[in-house]
Amino acid sequence: MFSSPAGLRSGKFPKLVRFVCPVLLALFTVGIGSLAAQNAAPVSSVDPLIGTGTGPGDSINLFPGPTMPFGMVQLSPDTESNGFGYHFYQDTIQGFSMTHMSGVGCPDEGDVFFTATTGPVQTQTADFQSPYSHSNEEASPGYYGVQLSRWNINAELTATDRTGAVRFTFPAGQPANVLLPISHTLNYTAGAHVQVVGNRTIQGYVENRAFCGDHQTYRVYFVMTFDRPFASFGTWNGTTHEPGAPSDGTREATQDDHDGWIGAYATWPAQSHAQTVEAKIGISYVDLAGAKHNLAAEAAGKSFSEIRRANEAAWNHDLGVVDVSGGTPVERTVFYTALYHSLMMPSIISDADGRYLGFDGKIHHVAAGHEIYANWSGWDIYRSEMPLLALVAPRRTEDMAQSVVLMYQQGGWVGRWPQINLYTNVMAGSPLSVVLATAWLDGLHGFDMKSAWRGMYEDATEAPPPGKPYAGEAAIDWINKVHYVPNDKMKYGSVSQIQEDAIAYASLYRLGVALGKNDAAKTMYDRALYYRNVFNPEDKFFRPRDADGQWVPNFDPKQEEHGFIEGSGWHYQWMEPADLAWVVQAMGPDLFNQRLSHFFDYKKPGWYGGYYNPYNETDLEAPFEFNFSGQPWNSQRVVRRVLAENYTASPDGIPGNDDAGEMSSWAVMSMMGLYSVDPASLAYELVSPVFPRIVVHLHPPYQGGTFTIETSADPDSTPYIAKVALDGRMHAQNWIDFHDITRGGTLRFTLAAQPDQSWGAAPEDAPPSLSQSKP
């Protein structure tokens, strides 16, 4: 039905073959042998359907539709209402919407919803939704196509940064309808307005709540233009309990509360042959004029095919920053799809003319050549996604950092999970302080560090003023008083809270040293060690304690949510990435290695209280921590295992929620053989790469041209490191500095089939830790 040459993405293979046997599928898809794969453009190795299936106990929440790298528009089919959007296992498409967030953990967005039908106009979801089949579905970067089988309509989608383009092909002999049930969102619609203008345009707005139970609202303005005049039109205006009937010829409808259900439609008479209707939709978070200008600036005069080709070219450019050679077709698909998912968020919020809505609710302008970015899954992405973006998209990362600075200047605080221009206060810690500190230490200085430092320091030491929409660090007054978070004063993850805060404090210490702020750096160094106050020297676990200093009784380290956020004492005993040398010594090297080995001694992946959990961010650093305890060969072993068991070329091929690209970025870095458990330290732990050759094309402000990672032959069967050379010189340390990468050069691994227990195992070979430095 569709023209894509890739069977995996086009859905032309039976489900059993496609996803039960991905190796055979990849051979059919890419061609037997690897020569074709090496010469293919990166987009040919991306499958957007990966990660749209069922994760352990729940859905993964990724969307398969088109978007640009970090695009404002993330246009995709929705198979549900009041949920996450698209799920591979659901067999009905309700319609398509312009906004989504990639893999987050709460129902969200789904704004500016539309679909197509034939016959009489129907206004209820049950009457316009349609079954579909994966055999008539295609997804690739910049394109999504599907047959709505109920109506025999082919729907095709593509996108620019701020606009979507849709092509509906209707069957012969049937009237064609395009519906905009604008009240349909994936979260909580608070209001909407729709207006039919002339005979080619429908425009308006939808007002939705922020995600995860937040009652604050935002608006998305839209304008939808058609490639030819519609013959008739109308609106409807009802409630969720009594959906209104279509009212031909009416031009406006307004929804004032959550119970409203409004929409508009346009129709074309039946033809004796199949007819195609194309539409372009511009959106803006500022106003209707912004939506119109975005549409004119990015899509005017361009055909659907031209927009699709431009989108694909943009993805080829951004994915091509990392060029991998060798490996199996499945490994290339897993790698480039993970990189694709890492390049979606934070997403652009500023309009094409530079206007954007600030955290003060006012309209601001960003200078030409720059963008403002929103939707920061902070608690997740500070770990590996933002370090990855600093490497592969440094100029964007500078704009992202300045976006955080502007949040502070306009809104009054550095948030931890801001959505659009709203503080949601989801999760814990000060993750965006880690992001800003890491970016600056990486050498990215294209943002206002004077304001950034002020905002980060306030967040690390002060409570926010009362009555503000931002929360700051939990129990900060108690932290200042007793130097930990008392469990009887903060029930939500008291131990996790101080551990997360300590990571930010350590990052600010390193940044303060770099900025010459010695007194402030000393303060942050001392605070960075507060995590030790919840370490029990008797059982050698991090544990909750009350304000009087007493340990909370009946502690079970396998019990989740007992002083910990989305995890247990077993999960969080590894959550001190800035100071692991102290943890190793406090626990004792033998016990540390014994416990960490036991942590990975599970029969199969699962959400266990006492074993490694590959489905959440709390454990992402754990596989690399043998590098700190004298057993780096075990890190090499367990990283390969985690990759093989949890990252596959299937709809279930990403563990847990992707959380705006965090889980995917873990795979990207791990497959490259590099990972930083403490990004602000600039130390990147080494494990064995999956591919025999990886070339990172460096961009300004970095001085190097390329950084090349090479291995000896057949890394698939040789997962262990025997020796490493950096720019031709033997390298005994089991880590390298970030600036070793950005200067350009070559990192060569000699790999082996059996563990080499000498390389990188000496105490002086371990990565740096906070307690080894002098404040």
Side-chain angles (χ1 to χ4, degrees), residues 187-459:
N187 193 8
Y188 186 100
T189 308
H193 180 74
V194 66
Q195 180 184 23
V196 182
V197 179
N199 60 2
R200 286 178 181 254
T201 301
I202 302 175
Q203 62 188 31
Y205 69 83
V206 58
E207 185 172 347
N208 200 353
R209 279 185 179 177
F211 85 140
C212 281
D214 196 299
H215 288 192
Q216 301 175 92
T217 64
Y218 62 90
R219 285 186 177 182
V220 182
Y221 297 87
F222 73 93
V223 57
M224 183 177 200
T225 62
F226 296 93
D227 64 336
R228 56 195 177 96
F230 36 77
S232 60
F233 60 87
T235 64
W236 68 86
N237 195 334
T239 69
T240 54
H241 308 293
E242 296 183 7
S247 179
D248 291 344
T250 56
R251 289 190 175 270
E252 289 191 68
T254 300
Q255 174 183 346
D256 295 321
D257 57 39
H258 176 61
D259 289 332
W261 181 257
I262 69 168
Y265 57 90
T267 69
W268 293 261
Q271 301 289 329
S272 59
H273 53 80
Q275 61 175 318
T276 298
V277 174
E278 295 189 11
K280 298 172 184 174
I281 312 102
I283 67 169
S284 169
Y285 292 93
V286 178
D287 54 24
L288 185 60
K292 292 178 179 178
H293 185 267
N294 289 340
L295 186 63
E298 296 185 357
K302 298 177 182 177
S303 69
F304 182 94
S305 297
E306 288 173 327
I307 293 172
R308 178 184 177 183
R309 286 195 297 270
N311 187 305
E312 184 174 303
W315 277 112
N316 266 325
H317 176 272
D318 284 23
L319 294 169
V321 171
V322 184
D323 183 11
V324 301
S325 302
T328 67
V330 167
E331 288 169 339
R332 289 177 58 85
T333 294
V334 169
F335 179 84
Y336 276 116
T337 303
L339 183 57
Y340 169 79
H341 285 137
S342 302
L343 303 181
M344 289 187 176
M345 290 173 66
S347 49
I348 293 170
I349 193 73
S350 50
D351 283 347
D353 61 3
R355 297 188 308 152
Y356 67 96
L357 201 61
F359 278 76
D360 54 3
K362 300 177 181 178
I363 298 174
H364 300 267
H365 289 77
V366 64
H370 298 275
E371 306 284 6
I372 302 298
Y373 292 84
N375 301 333
W376 290 83
S377 186
W379 184 79
D380 310 291
I381 64 174
Y382 82 86
R383 303 165 196 262
S384 58
E385 183 182 348
M386 291 310 299
L388 174 63
L389 298 189
L391 176 62
V392 303
R395 290 304 190 200
R396 280 195 193 265
T397 301
E398 289 180 323
D399 276 2
M400 291 174 182
Q402 182 62 16
S403 300
V404 176
V405 174
L406 291 169
M407 178 204 318
Y408 165 68
Q409 293 175 335
Q410 297 160 5
W413 211 259
V414 177
R416 57 176 173 257
W417 215 129
Q419 180 189 3
I420 315 299
N421 67 326
L422 304 172
Y423 294 99
T424 70
N425 303 313
V426 172
M427 301 311 294
S430 297
L432 298 190
S433 292
V434 182
V435 169
L436 295 184
T438 301
W440 189 271
L441 293 167
D442 282 344
L444 305 181
H445 296 170
F447 61 99
D448 180 359
M449 177 48 71
K450 182 177 180 180
S451 290
W453 176 265
R454 185 169 62 250
M456 292 185 290
Y457 198 84
E458 288 175 5
D459 181 50

Side-chain angles (χ1 to χ4, degrees), residues 78-81 90-96 113-118 122-132 147-153 179 181 184 261:
D78 293 326
T79 57
E80 62 186 357
S81 303
Q90 294 173 333
D91 58 8
T92 300
I93 288 178
Q94 296 186 0
F96 311 91
F113 180 90
F114 61 90
T115 191
T117 66
T118 62
Q122 303 285 343
T123 66
Q124 298 185 58
T125 303
D127 294 328
F128 57 66
Q129 66 185 8
S130 172
Y132 76 107
Q147 183 183 67
L148 303 176
S149 58
R150 179 179 185 177
W151 313 109
N152 195 24
I153 295 171
L179 313 181
H184 188 296
W261 181 257

Side-chain angles (χ1 to χ4, degrees), residues 91 162 206 234 357 375 522 579 583 599 679 770:
D91 58 8
R162 301 169 179 87
V206 58
L357 201 61
N375 301 333
K522 175 62 167 59
D579 200 19
V583 178
F599 196 54
L770 188 69

Side-chain angles (χ1 to χ4, degrees), residues 546-762:
D546 290 334
D548 62 4
Q550 296 298 309
W551 299 105
V552 175
N554 303 316
F555 174 70
D556 179 357
K558 295 181 181 180
Q559 181 181 345
E560 297 198 24
E561 309 294 333
H562 188 59
F564 303 96
I565 297 172
E566 298 182 3
S568 69
W570 266 97
H571 298 139
Y572 275 89
Q573 67 182 316
W574 320 111
M575 190 56 185
E576 303 76 36
D579 200 19
L580 281 165
W582 184 89
V583 178
V584 171
Q585 293 306 312
M587 195 178 294
D590 291 342
L591 180 60
F592 183 96
N593 285 321
Q594 177 187 337
R595 282 188 179 176
L596 191 54
S597 296
H598 169 80
F599 196 54
F600 291 97
D601 190 23
Y602 49 86
K603 292 183 178 180
K604 63 179 182 178
W607 194 296
Y608 307 113
Y611 292 102
Y612 176 71
N613 177 2
Y615 312 129
N616 205 5
E617 281 73 14
T618 53
D619 291 345
L620 291 184
E621 73 289 341
F624 304 90
E625 293 190 8
F626 287 109
N627 279 33
F628 292 80
S629 62
Q631 296 187 1
W633 63 90
N634 274 326
S635 282
Q636 298 151 32
R637 173 181 59 84
V638 298
V639 168
R640 285 292 189 96
R641 179 186 178 184
V642 172
L643 284 170
E645 291 179 336
N646 298 284
Y647 292 88
T648 61
S650 77
D652 302 337
I654 296 174
N657 295 329
D658 199 30
D659 287 317
E662 172 56 28
M663 306 303 282
S664 288
S665 66
W666 187 96
V668 171
M669 300 296 287
S670 299
M671 294 178 82
M672 292 172 63
L674 304 167
Y675 192 87
S676 181
V677 303
D678 177 22
S681 74
L682 305 186
Y684 278 69
E685 291 74 48
L686 300 179
V687 293
S688 54
V690 170
F691 301 100
R693 181 177 173 85
I694 305 165
V695 179
V696 181
H697 299 277
L698 300 167
H699 293 279
Y702 303 137
Q703 297 301 307
T706 59
F707 182 73
T708 301
I709 301 168
E710 296 177 340
T711 76
S712 50
D714 194 17
D716 266 354
S717 61
T718 53
Y720 296 101
I721 298 174
K723 58 184 178 180
V724 171
L726 179 62
D727 295 330
R729 298 184 298 274
M730 299 308 297
H731 187 82
Q733 293 175 321
N734 61 40
W735 61 281
I736 61 173
D737 190 278
F738 183 76
H739 297 302
D740 292 331
I741 302 173
T742 59
R743 280 191 295 267
T746 300
L747 182 68
R748 179 165 178 80
F749 293 81
T750 300
L751 302 180
Q754 299 299 320
D756 185 320
Q757 298 188 8
S758 61
W759 178 83

Side-chain angles (χ1 to χ4, degrees), residues 10 44 97 156 239 368 438 455 470 496 550 567 577 622 735 754:
S10 67
S44 67
S97 60
E156 299 174 88
T239 69
T438 301
Y470 38 80
S496 303
Q550 296 298 309
W735 61 281
Q754 299 299 320

